[in-house]
Amino acid sequence: MLRSWERVKAMFYHAYNNYLENAFPYDELRPLTCDGQDTWGSFSLTLIDALDTLLILGNVSEFQRIVNVLQEGVDFDIDVNASVFETNIRVVGGLLSAHLLSKKAGVEVEAGWPCSGPLLRMAEEAARKLLPAFQTPTGMPYGTVNLLHGVNPGETSVTCTAGIGTFIMEFATLSHLTGDQVFEDVARKALKALWKNRSDIGLVGNHIDVVTAKWVAQDAGIGAGVDSYFEYLVKGAILLHDEELMSMFLEYNKAIRNYTKFDDWYLWVQMYKGTVSMPVFQSLEAYWPGLQSLIGDINNGMRTFLNYYTVWKQFGGLPEFYNIPQGYTVEKREGYPLRPELIESAMYLYRATQDPTLLELGRDAVESIERISKVECGFATIKDLRDHRLDNRMESFFLAETVKYLYLLFDPDNFIHNDGSAFDVVPMPYGECILGAGGYIFNTEAHPIDPAALHCCRKQKEEQWEVEDLMREFFFLKKSKKSTFKRTADHSERESQTASADVSSESSKGEMNPEKNTKRRIPLLSCPNQPFTSKLSVLGQVFLDNT
């Protein structure tokens, strides 16, 4: 009899091989008709989403092959209207994760990696296609952008909260690796705009007008349309050692407990009054117990998880909506598209507690998915959990998230779970960079980011700036003997300026300040100290006050 992790691996290859045989180069597999369709763009999306899962399952050769396939076949310069949110979490996130895992997968990386590389350049190109969406009066992005032409003139200005607040992980990683601060800047501005527009009782609604900052849908909760905003405040705080992001989340967490929590369930309420608007549980909310584990709230996380698990056992999956008072599905929301959220929470909580109940959920999930969803050409979305009717779609997140979290739940020795006892030393121009020591942080599409990588490229960029400064200094002294470049104290601000802007501003001043030229910001350590008084661990009690 196959062990649980072997069954999960077999599930992956049944789905993955059928995608390759029947659907590639389309975005997704249609498992009932054994063909493919484009859904979120035209990126061969399932390949990008599945790439880091291949490595987690140990398939180095296929990872290497797909890296070459993507480099040759994916083009972002296309006339396609794409979701800004989905393109970021699936494409940008998937490419960044694969880039940072390339060396572990045996890919021959170029000089300067992880601060350069073909997958990083692809991720940057995709992210630049999204930047026009952020050009709004509020800094909150439009929901859709045309990859060739930018935001369409008739594009709706209404975006869901998650579609505004789910960029800081990918965009900050890009900024740290490439040295271009614009990505992190726009992501932070969008986060702060949501924070500024929360209600007087501390809640955010479901949809907002990104031009006027008026709330269009005023239902507040932790589920669909809001979910990954809260997730990214926590994960962004861990990734960037950012006290402000964690403070925002903890304030929201108080309001969520005060107004939406009832007997370890979370309901939807009116964001200004706190009155219940929908007494339902949504399957997308099942990420919350895992998020609670990341802030050390293990007991509450387990109690909520067990509530959600009772729904799973009732139906063999989580319906999209579940009416809590009635104890049954909601009309037209009876489906289960093989979502990962409950399995995700099980994986996090098991790492923190080793509670065997969580492994039981994993085995239940494998049984249910194989029994109900498996067809000849892959795994099909369950259209209705009551009678197990199927739908002709296998979303890319099945391979990116559902299978990955199941495998990691059953594989305690996976490199993703590294406790820091092993690591890779990467020689850099200025010394050594430590990578692969663990503490991977998953984006909301389950693409792991190595937080240590964010500290590998800063000094290299600073040395590059110094060379550029010397060359410019020489050029201007030779040309005019009147002016030279002076360095701003903040290199991140300097990075967003173009050379021409530097030339015009400094030439017009006609002055030289050699004292300022000699001042340099002290470079970050490869392994920086925690900048605020909290304790950090990978899983379980992450942020605890010293008091």
Side-chain angles (χ1 to χ4, degrees):
M1 184 175 179
L2 288 177
R3 289 169 291 184
S4 295
W5 64 268
E6 292 173 320
R7 291 183 67 182
V8 176
K9 184 178 280 192
M11 286 172 60
F12 174 85
Y13 284 113
H14 179 65
Y16 179 77
N17 290 335
N18 271 290
Y19 167 77
L20 289 179
E21 292 168 15
N22 299 296
F24 177 78
Y26 290 103
D27 278 341
E28 291 179 0
L29 170 68
R30 298 205 304 168
L32 301 184
T33 50
C34 300
D35 56 10
Q37 64 179 344
D38 282 335
T39 50
W40 296 111
S42 185
F43 312 124
S44 300
L45 183 61
T46 294
L47 276 192
I48 296 176
D49 247 356
L51 190 49
D52 50 38
T53 309
L54 283 167
L55 182 59
I56 286 170
L57 268 57
N59 195 336
V60 170
S61 59
E62 183 66 0
F63 182 101
Q64 295 172 359
R65 187 183 78 84
I66 297 304
V67 166
N68 292 325
V69 169
L70 292 176
Q71 288 180 61
E72 294 169 5
V74 175
D75 180 13
F76 299 115
D77 201 24
I78 50 176
D79 188 3
V80 165
N81 294 324
S83 163
V84 180
F85 169 81
E86 298 288 356
T87 304
N88 176 58
I89 66 169
R90 303 192 196 210
V91 178
V92 179
L95 291 171
L96 280 174
S97 180
H99 163 72
L100 292 174
L101 293 171
S102 291
K103 194 174 181 71
K104 182 174 283 292
V107 174
E108 189 173 337
V109 296
E110 67 186 37
W113 180 91
C115 311
S116 65
L119 294 179
L120 177 60
R121 288 189 286 273
M122 288 177 69
E124 182 180 3
E125 182 186 357
R128 287 200 186 281
K129 293 289 186 179
L130 306 180
L131 288 179
F134 290 83
Q135 295 173 6
T136 64
T138 63
M140 295 186 284
Y142 286 95
T144 305
V145 67
N146 184 282
L147 299 181
L148 196 61
H149 305 295
V151 178
N152 290 323
E155 181 62 39
T156 176
S157 58
V158 177
T159 306
C160 71
T161 303
I164 293 164
T166 310
F167 294 91
I168 191 65
M169 275 194 67
E170 298 83 2
F171 276 30
T173 300
L174 262 180
S175 286
H176 280 253
L177 296 181
T178 66
D180 191 338
Q181 191 64 25
V182 65
F183 299 107
E184 184 173 349
D185 286 348
V186 299
R188 283 189 180 277
K189 187 174 181 181
L191 286 176
K192 289 178 179 178
L194 285 173
W195 175 251
K196 177 184 174 184
N197 286 287
R198 69 195 188 284
S199 71
D200 289 342
I201 61 173
L203 296 172
V204 289
N206 201 271
H207 285 73
I208 193 171
D209 189 310
V210 300
V211 174
T212 65
K214 300 295 183 185
W215 289 101
V216 176
Q218 298 181 2
D219 294 304
I222 60 171
V226 185
D227 48 4
S228 50
Y229 169 45
F230 296 139
E231 180 186 357
Y232 269 41
L233 289 176
V234 172
K235 291 181 175 179
I238 299 171
L239 182 70
L240 302 171
H241 294 185
D242 192 299
E243 184 177 12
E244 182 182 23
L245 297 182
M246 183 53 69
S247 296
M248 288 179 184
F249 176 78
L250 293 176
E251 283 298 311
Y252 280 131
N253 199 31
K254 288 178 189 174
I256 288 165
R257 285 200 310 266
N258 288 340
Y259 293 101
T260 77
K261 186 179 180 184
F262 296 86
D263 296 330
D264 297 311
W265 294 96
Y266 293 84
L267 311 183
W268 289 84
V269 302
Q270 211 283 338
M271 65 177 288
Y272 293 105
K273 301 175 184 176
T275 51
V276 174
S277 58
M278 290 189 296
V280 301
F281 157 63
Q282 300 177 345
S283 63
L284 282 171
E285 296 170 17
Y287 77 100
W288 188 257
L291 194 66
Q292 287 176 302
S293 81
L294 282 177
I295 62 167
D297 195 4
I298 305 293
N299 291 334
N300 280 321
M302 277 299 296
R303 286 198 294 270
T304 297
F305 176 88
L306 292 172
N307 275 351
Y308 297 168
Y309 188 20
T310 61
V311 180
W312 178 286
K313 292 181 83 69
Q314 183 178 349
F315 295 100
L318 287 187
E320 292 286 72
F321 283 32
Y322 178 82
N323 187 304
I324 297 168
Q326 294 178 0
Y328 208 63
T329 59
V330 175
E331 187 179 357
K332 298 182 180 178
R333 294 289 188 274
E334 304 94 347
Y336 172 55
L338 309 182
R339 291 197 187 278
E341 283 76 16
L342 192 64
I343 301 161
E344 172 187 356
S345 284
M347 191 275 290
Y348 277 113
L349 286 166
Y350 185 70
R351 297 300 301 169
T353 67
Q354 303 296 300
D355 188 323
T357 305
L358 299 154
L359 295 179
E360 182 185 329
L361 174 276
R363 288 188 287 267
D364 282 353
V366 173
E367 290 288 344
S368 293
I369 292 169
E370 287 202 324
R371 185 178 70 253
I372 302 172
S373 171
K374 187 176 182 180
V375 294
E376 183 180 351
C377 288
F379 292 88
T381 286
I382 299 165
K383 190 171 186 176
D384 194 327
L385 279 166
R386 298 171 302 177
D387 57 17
H388 298 169
R389 278 182 296 145
L390 300 178
D391 207 357
N392 194 20
R393 188 174 185 189
M394 186 182 82
E395 292 223 40
S396 68
F397 60 64
F398 179 66
L399 295 180
E401 300 185 76
T402 308
V403 171
K404 183 185 293 165
Y405 284 131
L406 274 173
Y407 192 80
L408 289 173
L409 175 63
F410 294 122
D411 183 13
D413 300 321
N414 198 277
F415 76 88
I416 287 290
H417 299 318
N418 185 4
D419 61 1
S421 57
F423 52 85
D424 299 316
V425 180
V426 180
M428 302 297 289
Y430 55 85
E432 294 178 335
C433 182
I434 305 299
L435 290 174
Y440 293 93
I441 301 167
F442 291 96
N443 86 335
T444 196
E445 189 77 1
H447 296 304
I449 301 295
D450 185 346
L454 275 66
H455 308 290
C456 285
C457 305
R458 175 97 40 186
K459 187 168 183 180
Q460 185 183 43
K461 299 300 178 186
E462 290 178 351
E463 289 180 348
Q464 179 182 326
W465 291 329
E466 289 182 16
V467 173
E468 290 174 359
D469 281 353
L470 288 171
M471 292 183 67
R472 289 181 177 129
E473 234 173 81
F474 173 77
F475 176 78
F476 281 99
L477 283 171
K478 185 178 177 182
K479 282 284 187 183
S480 63
K481 295 184 181 180
K482 290 181 180 179
S483 62
T484 188
F485 277 81
K486 63 181 178 182
R487 208 31 146 163
T488 61
D490 183 356
H491 282 305
S492 63
E493 184 178 333
R494 151 68 179 81
E495 201 165 13
S496 66
Q497 299 170 345
T498 62
S500 60
D502 282 334
V503 171
S504 61
S505 62
E506 295 298 330
S507 297
S508 64
K509 291 175 184 174
E511 61 183 27
M512 190 166 72
N513 191 336
E515 288 185 3
K516 285 193 178 180
N517 265 340
T518 61
K519 290 183 180 178
R520 302 288 173 192
R521 188 176 58 177
I522 298 170
L524 290 174
L525 298 172
S526 294
C527 188
N529 290 321
Q530 188 75 337
F532 54 99
T533 55
S534 299
K535 295 180 181 179
L536 174 67
S537 66
V538 178
L539 289 170
Q541 288 73 17
V542 173
F543 287 97
L544 298 178
D545 292 335
N546 285 341
T547 55

